[in-house]
Amino acid sequence: GAGVSQSPSNKVTEKGKDVELRCDPISGHTALYWYRQSLGQGLEFLIYFQGNSAPDKSGLPSDRFSAERTGGSVSTLTIQRTQQEDSAVYLCASSLGPGMQYEQYFGPGTRLTVT
Amino acid sequence: GESVGLHLPTLSVQEGDNSIINCAYSNSASDYFIWYKQESGKGPQFIIDIRSNMDKRQGQRVTVLLNKTVKHLSLQIAATQPGDSAVYFCAENTGGFKTIFGAGTRLFVKA
């Protein structure tokens, strides 16, 4: 079956521009996560959506970062006024339900380069 | 795909040998641990997990060992194959949805 997909796979943008990254989770998965992975680092949690509940935004590094999830399915991560330190791979994951007992399935990521 | 980390600790093993990848976790309250494998250009993939009430769990060719006394986790891969070459992450969870990932170890398998 189809896994988690993300688009674009690569994005190069100029400093100061806004970018939108898209995630299509596995159909039927109610939980969706966004992570950031910088070179030589592990995954940094950004935001978590579960069903129709308010998202947990505790990992967003600044107010330039926002995310939404429409209709409990597709999610968009928006970075406004991009900075060079935003360059990283942005990974999306989905799971059948909330909590650690549900395996997270990851997409291939979007590599963002801010020049 | 491109590398996800150019400055990671690296383990190089001969094909057919056993591999041991180590991880120190940070939170003594963590009660669930996961190992992930990430191949170049792909997202992490679940390998095996273990709960804090266990100290060993075996899967197919993989074994995870947990030492809560020193907050140490290890992943053992038996008869390592070229397809095992990847970056391996340990992750910890204290319950709920938030999982904390380690920095990763790159495994090279020499043919």
Side-chain angles (χ1 to χ4, degrees), chain A residues 10 33 35 37-43 45 48 56 58 91 99-101 103-104 106-108 111, chain B residues 2-5 8 31-32 36 38 41 43-44 46 51 89 93 95-99 101-103:
Chain A
N10 281 283
Y33 307 76
Y35 295 91
Q37 186 173 35
S38 302
L39 275 179
Q41 303 293 321
L43 278 67
F45 166 79
Y48 163 73
D56 185 303
S58 59
L91 289 159
M100 60 186 190
Q101 68 269 36
E103 181 180 339
Q104 293 185 37
F106 284 84
R111 178 173 294 278
Chain B
E2 299 181 54
S3 304
V4 297
L8 296 172
D31 57 6
Y32 179 62
Y36 287 90
Q38 187 173 25
F46 172 94
R51 294 187 185 272
F89 294 95
N93 186 296
F97 67 88
K98 195 168 288 187
T99 300
F101 289 79

Side-chain angles (χ1 to χ4, degrees), chain B residues 35-102:
Chain B
W35 279 100
Y36 287 90
K37 173 186 180 183
Q38 187 173 25
E39 295 175 279
S40 185
K42 298 183 180 179
Q45 181 180 17
F46 172 94
I47 302 173
I48 191 167
D49 59 2
I50 189 168
R51 294 187 185 272
S52 60
N53 60 353
M54 303 172 68
D55 53 21
K56 180 179 180 178
R57 188 163 187 225
Q58 289 185 293
Q60 188 175 15
R61 280 202 309 119
V62 294
T63 301
V64 55
L65 298 178
L66 175 62
N67 185 330
K68 294 183 289 294
T69 303
V70 294
K71 292 191 287 186
H72 184 269
L73 198 64
S74 68
L75 177 70
Q76 300 178 1
I77 305 173
T80 314
Q81 302 169 0
D84 295 327
S85 293
V87 176
Y88 289 82
F89 294 95
C90 67
E92 59 185 297
N93 186 296
T94 56
F97 67 88
K98 195 168 288 187
T99 300
I100 309 299
F101 289 79

